[in-house]
Amino acid sequence: MDFRLNEEQQMLQDTVARLVRGEYSFEKRLEFSETDAGFSEAFWTQLSELGLTAVPFAEELGGFGGGGVEVQSVMTELGRGLCLEPYMQSVILGGGLIDHAGNDSQKERWLTGIASGELKAAVALQEPQSFYNLKDVATRAEKSGDGYVLNGRKAVVIGGHCADLILVSARTSGDSRDTDGISLFALSPELAGVERRTYPTIDGSKGCDITLNNVEVGADALLGGEGGAGEIIEYQSGRAIAAVCAEAVGVMEMANELTLDYLKQRKQFGVPIGKFQVLQHRMVDMMSELEQARSMAILAASVADAEQSDERRRILAAAKNVIGRSGQFISENGIQSHGGIGMTWEYNFAHYAKRLIMINHQLGDDDFHLERYAGLLQAS
Amino acid sequence: MNMNYTAEELAFRNEVRAFLDEKLPADIAAKVKGFRRLTKDDHLRWQKILNAQGWYATHWPEEYGGVKWTPVQKHIWDEESCRYGVPRSIPFGVNMVAPVIIKFGNEEQKQRYLPRILSGEDWWCQGYSEPGAGSDLASLKTRAVREGDHYIVNGQKTWTTLGQHANMIFCLVRTNTEVKAQEGISFLLIDMDTPGITVRPIITLDGEHEVNEVFFEDVKVPVENLVGEEDKGWTYAKFLLTYERTGLAGIGMSKAALSHLKQLASRRIKNGRPLIEDPSFSQRIAKVEIDLTAAAISNLRIIASVEGGGVPGAESSMLKVKGTEIRQSINDLARRAIGPYAIPFVEEELDYEYDGDFLSDENAAPLTAQYFNNRKLSIFGGSNEIQKNIVSKMILGL
């Protein structure tokens, strides 16, 4: 048994780490966040030039053929830098859905662009009523001639405001929350009837809600078989869960490093506050939470690309549950250990704290995944 | 044992309700209940109404324009005003500096400052914390050196809540460096318009401007602005902190927040049903409601124990810890209740005047920001760690 990265994986992680350290200072991040895109186009270009947007794709697509561990290596470092680029949305989930469901011509058309970084995809799977259940799809796609007409509303599409391609789940048959009958469409946001309401997010990024008003698409917009996308979406969201778990570990690492530094530097009552036992024990608890999270992120990465099974479902639900809880623990206790300074915009800790809480609202929070896990409990 | 209000107390409650029904401006109540932003003018407008009723200064003797409420009456006011959506009282003038001036100030100071607090002419802020003096407040370094009829003040204060609105600040300053920390502190009243004072905003993680840094550079303060005796300021500071701590448990605010949460959870949908019917979410709400019930009774027990007069002791520290934890749990649940919509931050929806479509729920926009903002509850007014130190020392004798 060996939990270390192999040489190639370590090189990959070091590459991302160097890039993030060089390009993504806290001050620069605040500037990136203020732009219309809400991230750095230049940094995105650098990621793609280093081949990082191609990491999970097959070699014939110009990819690196990377799996869960390679994705984990990238995401953890992006987490440490609190990077705002839509890597998870476009490369992992968007790319994953097309790779999984698309035919050869669709892959040729979109996937090569995603892998090279020239095309950015966003993923519109949630709806106002869906909470975190991606099978709760009310958006309808009606057959019309050779194509479809889409109507509905998709919620909280991170990166959707500036994506070149939007992947939309819509119901071609069945009732709300049925697994069967969900179809997946790839569409340009420029199509008539696509309305986007763009907003900043509380953790410094940008996204939008999308209203689809009689949006006409051709048959070539349908990814995979009609009505068969439910399982594909579940599988690919699992890969995305593994990716954000890895990101969260990077965020938690930095949050803990910042807190520990503060405990050593900040003096009250004539001593560093790290001399107070109550703060020592809290810091130890924060470290233990990080270790729990790290273990689950590793476990999640190990099944990210495995064949679907209840065991894979359980592991991913468990990982997201642990990450949600440990993230909140580290966020809240880190702020408390800092005192008022931990709540200020000008100091980076608060931004790590916010990202950790928001990760819990992406792809299902700890309650949602606890329920999922409970539903998959083995009898013995 | 009798846990009921007396006939007089019930009559008082009716009087409070009648007053609020009639006089609380609907727009202000709507802002408070919907967690929208309040302006300085909103606060002043409400203060004038309250003062006209004679109910603004409930800690003051009647001779200075205060009203003599019993602890139970204050509690009734707290409960009802939170329920109705009364803006939180800005305590720095009326509940902080005023009791100090009344107890330790001279007649001239009372005549000058108290009426201006009542009328809203002066807006006070608090100059206690410094970058190097937070929990260890007595280590403060802002220096005041006597030169003739003035003190020359140099230094920096921080976390000055709503200092951007204030024209007066009460400050703890060091007047003697020869003695031990607590014995060289004085209590000064400073006009914010004095040359040499700079107020710089601190933006918090939710993007709000609520707190400030205040810098003092050779600020000339007349000696008549000293409260009580030089170097005795620590005694006055501690007296003030006992007033600060009462009410920090925020039971009334938690009740209002819980009611808001339940309404929100009734509107939000999960698996096709209202979220409040979801077994795990309703259990989470139930748990915090149970905790709040217990804390509310603890609060009443403390109130009853001081009904004869005086201020609560270390018990209120215990309640501050519990009360703030409960309020933070409610904020946590409200954020959870909006699911993925916790992520967008549609700032314009925080404005009461906003008349566009709401992205999700009409009350969703402030919820995540408020969850983050209220992490302050366990930090300010003496951090919860400091409160536990007080309990452990004063009650347990450890």
Side-chain angles (χ1 to χ4, degrees), chain A residues 296-313:
Chain A
M296 291 311 283
I298 291 171
L299 188 59
S302 77
V303 300
D305 294 294
E307 202 179 313
Q308 183 66 297
S309 65
D310 277 354
E311 182 62 6
R312 179 179 181 270
R313 291 188 175 98

Side-chain angles (χ1 to χ4, degrees), chain A residues 21-236:
Chain A
R21 257 201 316 276
E23 303 295 324
Y24 235 96
S25 67
F26 172 62
E27 292 72 21
K28 277 192 181 168
R29 179 186 184 270
L30 289 181
E31 286 172 24
F32 300 156
S33 170
E34 293 286 316
T35 61
D36 284 345
F39 61 86
S40 164
E41 295 280 3
F43 186 74
W44 183 261
T45 305
Q46 285 174 297
L47 286 175
S48 63
E49 281 170 359
L50 286 165
L52 296 168
T53 46
V55 162
F57 302 112
E59 282 165 30
E60 57 267 28
L61 288 163
F64 184 90
V69 178
E70 283 74 18
V71 169
Q72 181 190 15
S73 303
V74 175
M75 288 299 295
T76 299
E77 294 305 324
L78 294 179
R80 287 184 63 94
L82 225 48
C83 297
L84 299 157
E85 288 63 29
Y87 188 88
M88 186 279 276
Q89 283 77 14
S90 185
V91 176
I92 308 301
L93 189 48
L97 287 168
I98 296 172
D99 203 11
H100 192 153
N103 56 35
D104 286 348
S105 87
Q106 289 169 326
K107 288 187 196 179
E108 173 66 32
R109 187 169 160 203
W110 294 312
L111 217 45
T112 43
I114 290 176
S116 71
E118 284 156 71
L119 188 148
K120 283 190 285 291
V123 183
L125 304 175
Q126 306 184 111
E127 299 189 354
Q129 83 295 341
S130 68
F131 217 63
Y132 299 113
N133 181 359
L134 299 181
K135 291 176 180 168
D136 193 335
V137 176
T139 297
R140 313 283 317 186
E142 307 285 347
K143 196 98 181 150
S144 163
D146 283 346
Y148 297 86
V149 176
L150 274 63
N151 279 289
R153 179 170 158 191
K154 309 307 282 188
V156 194
V157 183
I158 303 298
H161 61 295
C162 65
D164 308 295
L165 187 71
I166 305 206
L167 305 181
V168 173
S169 58
R171 195 161 278 290
T172 38
S173 65
D175 287 330
S176 282
R177 299 190 299 283
D178 284 352
T179 303
D180 290 341
I182 299 172
S183 301
L184 194 61
F185 296 89
L187 49 93
S188 157
E190 306 302 331
L191 284 181
V194 178
E195 255 179 67
R196 288 182 284 185
R197 179 173 174 182
T198 298
Y199 39 74
T201 66
I202 193 109
D203 54 354
S205 171
K206 283 199 167 71
C208 63
D209 270 31
I210 300 176
T211 308
L212 304 165
N213 206 349
N214 289 321
V215 177
E216 293 179 27
V217 297
D220 57 348
L222 178 70
L223 284 165
E226 188 182 285
E231 301 290 352
I232 296 170
I233 289 170
E234 190 198 341
Y235 183 87
Q236 291 299 326

Side-chain angles (χ1 to χ4, degrees), chain A residues 234 241 296 299 303 309-322 325 364-380, chain B residues 270:
Chain A
E234 190 198 341
I241 284 173
M296 291 311 283
L299 188 59
V303 300
S309 65
D310 277 354
E311 182 62 6
R312 179 179 181 270
R313 291 188 175 98
R314 263 193 296 275
I315 285 174
L316 292 167
K320 193 66 171 59
N321 171 267
V322 168
R325 287 187 287 129
D365 66 5
D366 53 308
D367 288 340
F368 176 81
H369 285 288
L370 186 66
E371 250 176 70
R372 278 195 65 132
Y373 191 95
L376 294 162
L377 265 189
Q378 289 169 301
S380 60
Chain B
K270 180 183 170 190

Side-chain angles (χ1 to χ4, degrees), chain B residues 65 75 82 84 113 173 182 230 273-274 280 328 352 372 394:
Chain B
H75 168 73
C82 288
Y84 272 80
Y113 294 112
V173 294
Q182 287 81 352
E230 199 175 272
R273 284 161 54 203
S280 67
Q328 289 174 336
Y352 181 65
F372 284 116
M394 308 298 285

Side-chain angles (χ1 to χ4, degrees), chain B residues 45-290:
Chain B
R45 188 153 51 106
W46 173 239
Q47 181 185 328
K48 283 204 163 50
I49 296 168
L50 210 47
N51 192 39
Q53 175 77 4
W55 286 359
Y56 181 56
T58 58
H59 284 298
W60 301 13
E62 279 159 327
E63 53 178 308
Y64 298 114
V67 59
K68 218 177 184 164
W69 279 349
T70 64
V72 171
Q73 284 178 309
K74 283 179 191 164
H75 168 73
I76 288 171
W77 170 256
D78 179 55
E79 294 253 302
E80 296 302 320
S81 61
C82 288
R83 204 164 62 82
Y84 272 80
V86 169
R88 81 182 167 99
S89 146
I90 308 297
F92 309 106
V94 64
N95 290 337
M96 292 179 140
V97 76
V100 171
I101 291 174
I102 290 167
K103 189 158 170 81
F104 303 105
N106 57 37
E107 201 46 41
E108 222 177 308
Q109 289 167 338
K110 290 176 198 174
Q111 293 306 330
R112 175 170 173 76
Y113 294 112
L114 298 179
R116 295 166 64 95
I117 290 173
L118 283 181
S119 69
E121 209 172 336
D122 285 342
W123 183 302
W124 285 85
C125 63
Q126 182 179 25
Y128 267 34
S129 295
E130 297 182 3
S135 288
D136 182 12
L137 184 59
S139 69
L140 60 94
K141 289 198 168 65
T142 296
R143 191 84 168 92
V145 179
R146 176 92 184 245
E147 273 184 21
D149 292 341
H150 288 85
Y151 288 100
I152 308 298
V153 178
N154 279 286
Q156 181 190 349
K157 295 293 176 180
T158 193
W159 311 126
T160 313
T161 301
L162 300 182
Q164 70 268 36
H165 298 328
N167 65 316
M168 292 296 296
I169 182 168
F170 57 93
C171 281
L172 294 180
V173 294
R174 186 155 304 285
T175 36
N176 191 340
T177 51
E178 308 292 306
V179 291
K180 79 176 225 210
Q182 287 81 352
E183 289 165 11
I185 293 170
S186 298
F187 196 105
L188 276 187
L189 311 176
I190 304 179
D191 186 331
M192 298 280 280
D193 288 332
T194 321
I197 296 181
T198 314
V199 179
R200 183 182 160 274
I202 297 175
I203 305 301
T204 43
L205 76 177
D206 51 340
E208 287 293 312
H209 175 201
E210 191 176 19
V211 285
N212 301 273
E213 295 177 288
V214 183
F215 298 88
F216 299 84
E217 199 186 336
D218 294 329
V219 175
K220 278 178 81 172
V221 181
V223 286
E224 60 261 31
N225 287 22
L226 175 76
V227 174
E229 292 174 54
E230 199 175 272
D231 294 350
K232 293 276 186 283
W234 188 248
T235 313
Y236 317 147
K238 282 197 302 185
F239 171 78
L240 183 152
L241 285 176
T242 60
Y243 276 94
E244 188 182 14
R245 252 162 230 156
T246 39
L248 278 178
I251 301 293
M253 303 261 248
S254 282
K255 285 186 176 175
L258 181 66
S259 155
H260 179 276
L261 168 66
K262 287 170 156 180
Q263 292 166 33
L264 178 73
S266 305
R267 292 194 300 268
R268 302 309 293 168
I269 300 296
K270 180 183 170 190
N271 291 330
R273 284 161 54 203
L275 181 60
I276 200 161
E277 292 171 19
D278 178 72
S280 67
F281 203 81
S282 63
Q283 283 189 13
R284 274 185 177 271
I285 295 179
K287 183 172 178 297
V288 75
E289 183 166 315
I290 290 166

